[in-house]
Amino acid sequence: LPAARAHERASRARGTRATSARYDVARRRVALELTNGCGFAFPVDTIPALRSATTAALRQVRLDAAGVALH
């Protein structure tokens, strides 16, 4: 946990954050693009609160203005 927190602080200092988010219907996952050029995707079924989300709701995934949270 301390290492993860240190990494998060360093990422914020470098400005690493998400620039886009989209829902991949075929793979049922959320895909993110980051400012450092990396991409990250996660299956929605790994997040208990998203398991029952409808496709229509998941298609509305958006980033907050800072690029650090999903809505």
Side-chain angles (χ1 to χ4, degrees):
L1 195 57
R5 287 184 177 145
H7 179 74
E8 190 273 337
R9 282 191 300 274
S11 292
R12 280 186 187 245
R14 286 191 311 272
T16 304
R17 62 188 193 294
T19 58
S20 68
R22 67 178 178 80
Y23 177 59
D24 180 340
V25 177
R27 294 186 175 148
R28 195 163 162 75
R29 65 184 186 174
V30 173
L32 306 170
E33 295 294 325
L34 307 178
T35 55
N36 64 4
C38 291
F40 175 76
F42 63 91
V44 296
D45 293 332
T46 63
I47 310 296
L50 297 179
R51 286 185 188 141
S52 62
T54 65
T55 298
L58 291 166
R59 283 183 172 162
Q60 295 180 33
V61 66
R62 298 291 179 264
L63 291 171
D64 71 349
V68 296
L70 295 172
H71 296 280

